[in-house]
DNA sequence: AGTTTTTTTTAGATATGCCTAAAAAAGCGA
DNA sequence: TCGCTTTTTTAGGCATATCTAAAAAAAACT
């Protein structure tokens, strides 16, 4: 009897979420660490170790025990496809279904796992081939390529420098609702009018209209194109 | 230590598919039979028995060993919600993403499990609160209520009687592609011009334009409103 | 009614994905 | 470099959802 192994290139929802987490963590550092993956996926380090072994067997990650993990070429391909789907769905929810930018992430976290190449191709077309999602993050095209808008954290701008908000790093509902409240949005015109030395907070002129005070923590999570 | 059982009213993808299968099978007969559920879900009768026990524990089915199974009131509620989601997504795919009616079922089979009340509410609104899906099947509203269009199988029409196709029973891609080919669609005007006694096939005048011959098997799967 | 066939359930496995507790490796300060 | 701390892995379980094979119940046929 001949052994035939069909590589259906199909991954479970759990595997997909791990791949995506490793992708995002690898953007920040060189490789993803077990504890960081566990925290991101709200699971336990022991579960992560289990899964990393499985993903290594499937050749989507390079895994050396105790040394962290990176995605293989195949793993990056899967991750970019997931990111593409996630962000396209976020655009759909905001542009077509009138969701606010703080409501979309959790639903997109589910929708990204729907498996239908035709669906994504048509969705992309329906949305007019958007290049950025509601949080300012770039949307990979079908080949995995995406635009990069140069930007700096709000906190690193000089006094007097003018720019526009291009993205946010923290996409939690709590943070986005805070931004809604103070009037910060993607595209808003910002300039630093003063830096408070005592606590590192910033005085920001918003859309030439009003001045607001933002904390160091907040400033770290807002990216500005100059 | 007090025992607190949160009824999160959340069901797994597998459980949802079982509930939906039982709902559809119960429409045809009084109760759903183990073997029929297994066939519908492309699984084995032994797996169905396992699951029925679990669903009975969760009080979504009335299950008496060897006697078949029906949905409880709660089970029907879940089933109608799933049917609602499935059919709304089918409308979305056809109306907004230019899918054909033979391409939508499998994708909707995945999309129906996305859990977000806001999403469904907004999708319904975005689609203009449709009452029927691309196969002519009624879409339950948020309360689980839906319209019923009276209809008979094409095979049971009298010679000379005129009607319009309102729904199809078989929604397989193979059957729908056959209908595309011969020119039958939801809303098509049909009348029987002759019944062939030899094999039970029918001569059908379509949209007052052309006459086609359809087999007994095909005729059984087309519903006509008179 | 007794026998055979069909349907359904149970028994016993397997794979996935998660957990806690314990062990092992790596990192770090003295 | 030693010993403590942190990080990571392993060991051993558990729940879900599936399967095959065997047993049991129900239905159908003489
Ligand atoms: Mn996800
Ligand atoms: Mn986003
Ligand atoms: Mn389904
Ligand atoms: Mn349908």
């Amino acid at each position: 009897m001949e052994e035939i192994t069909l590589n259906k290139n199909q991954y479970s929802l759990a595997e997909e979420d791990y791949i995506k987490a490793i992708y995002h963590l690898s953007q920040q550092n060189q490789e993803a660490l077990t504890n960081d993956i566990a925290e991101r996926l709200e699971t336990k380090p022991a579960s992560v170790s289990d899964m990393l072994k499985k993903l290594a067997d499937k050749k989507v990650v390079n895994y050396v025990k105790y040394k962290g993990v990176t995605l293989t070429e195949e793993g990056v391909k899967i991750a970019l496809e997931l990111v593409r789907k996630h962000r396209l769905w976020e655009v759909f929810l905001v542009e077509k279904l009138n969701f606010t930018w703080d409501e979309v992430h959790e639903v997109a976290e589910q929708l990204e796992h729907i498996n239908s190449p035709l669906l994504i191709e048509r969705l992309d077309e329906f949305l007019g081939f958007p290049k950025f999602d509601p949080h300012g993050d770039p949307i990979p095209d079908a080949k995995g390529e995406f635009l990069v808008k140069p930007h700096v954290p709000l906190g690193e701008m000089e006094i007097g420098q003018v720019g526009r908000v291009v993205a946010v790093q923290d996409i939690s509902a709590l943070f986005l609702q805070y931004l809604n409240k103070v009037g910060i949005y993607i595209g808003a015109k910002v300039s630093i009018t003063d830096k408070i030395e005592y606590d590192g907070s910033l005085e920001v002129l918003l859309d030439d209209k009003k001045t607001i005070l933002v904390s160091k923590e907040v400033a770290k999570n807002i990216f500005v194109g100059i």
Side-chain angles (χ1 to χ4, degrees), chain A residues 19-20 23 71 74-84:
Chain A
I19 291 168
K20 204 157 59 83
Y23 173 81
L71 292 176
E74 171 69 8
V76 172
K77 218 182 96 196
I78 300 163
L80 286 170
E81 186 59 40
L82 286 165
V83 168
R84 169 170 163 76

Side-chain angles (χ1 to χ4, degrees), chain A residues 99-170:
Chain A
F99 277 60
T100 52
W101 69 341
D102 56 292
E103 293 172 325
V104 298
H105 181 73
E106 280 198 27
V107 186
E109 201 57 51
Q110 297 179 59
L111 284 164
E112 70 191 359
H113 303 287
I114 301 292
N115 176 24
S116 167
L118 182 61
L119 172 59
I120 293 309
E121 185 191 294
R122 295 286 176 83
L123 184 64
D124 196 14
E125 187 184 348
F126 181 58
L127 299 173
F129 306 105
K131 297 284 170 282
F132 296 93
D133 85 357
H135 310 107
D137 292 315
I139 300 174
D141 65 19
K143 289 174 191 152
E145 278 154 31
F146 54 88
L147 302 175
V148 180
K149 274 192 185 163
H151 57 241
V152 297
L154 181 58
E156 289 177 20
M157 288 177 80
E158 309 288 328
I159 293 182
Q161 218 175 5
V162 179
R164 287 193 179 271
V165 174
V166 297
V168 291
Q169 182 153 64
D170 181 353

Side-chain angles (χ1 to χ4, degrees), chain A residues 14-206:
Chain A
E15 288 170 337
E16 290 190 341
D17 279 342
Y18 274 93
I19 291 168
K20 204 157 59 83
I22 295 164
Y23 173 81
H24 287 306
L25 289 168
S26 303
Q27 300 287 96
Q28 299 180 308
N29 310 308
Q30 278 305 96
E31 65 267 308
L33 303 180
T34 301
N35 276 6
D36 294 343
I37 298 170
E39 191 185 3
R40 210 183 158 93
L41 297 179
E42 294 181 275
T43 181
K44 295 292 181 300
S47 307
V48 175
S49 285
D50 284 350
M51 183 60 96
L52 292 183
K53 238 177 295 175
K54 236 193 337 169
L55 293 177
D57 287 347
K58 297 195 179 186
K59 310 251 191 277
V60 295
V61 301
N62 307 114
Y63 173 49
V64 182
K65 271 183 212 171
Y66 295 103
K67 297 286 181 184
V69 67
T70 58
L71 292 176
T72 62
E73 210 175 304
E74 171 69 8
V76 172
K77 218 182 96 196
I78 300 163
L80 286 170
E81 186 59 40
L82 286 165
V83 168
R84 169 170 163 76
K85 290 195 278 179
H86 184 107
R87 292 179 181 167
L88 281 175
W89 280 116
E90 285 189 344
V91 172
F92 169 72
L93 294 172
V94 167
E95 296 290 315
K96 305 294 183 179
L97 301 194
N98 295 113
F99 277 60
T100 52
W101 69 341
D102 56 292
E103 293 172 325
V104 298
H105 181 73
E106 280 198 27
V107 186
E109 201 57 51
Q110 297 179 59
L111 284 164
E112 70 191 359
H113 303 287
I114 301 292
N115 176 24
S116 167
L118 182 61
L119 172 59
I120 293 309
E121 185 191 294
R122 295 286 176 83
L123 184 64
D124 196 14
E125 187 184 348
F126 181 58
L127 299 173
F129 306 105
K131 297 284 170 282
F132 296 93
D133 85 357
H135 310 107
D137 292 315
I139 300 174
D141 65 19
K143 289 174 191 152
E145 278 154 31
F146 54 88
L147 302 175
V148 180
K149 274 192 185 163
H151 57 241
V152 297
L154 181 58
E156 289 177 20
M157 288 177 80
E158 309 288 328
I159 293 182
Q161 218 175 5
V162 179
R164 287 193 179 271
V165 174
V166 297
V168 291
Q169 182 153 64
D170 181 353
I171 53 162
S172 71
L174 218 62
F175 181 63
L176 298 177
Q177 280 160 15
Y178 162 81
L179 296 185
N180 289 343
K181 190 183 164 115
V182 299
I184 295 174
Y185 57 93
I186 303 292
K189 185 172 171 186
V190 289
S191 65
I192 308 295
T193 51
D194 197 11
K195 295 191 175 193
I196 315 300
E197 217 172 318
Y198 173 68
D199 62 355
S201 63
L202 302 171
E203 206 178 72
V204 178
L205 176 63
L206 200 58

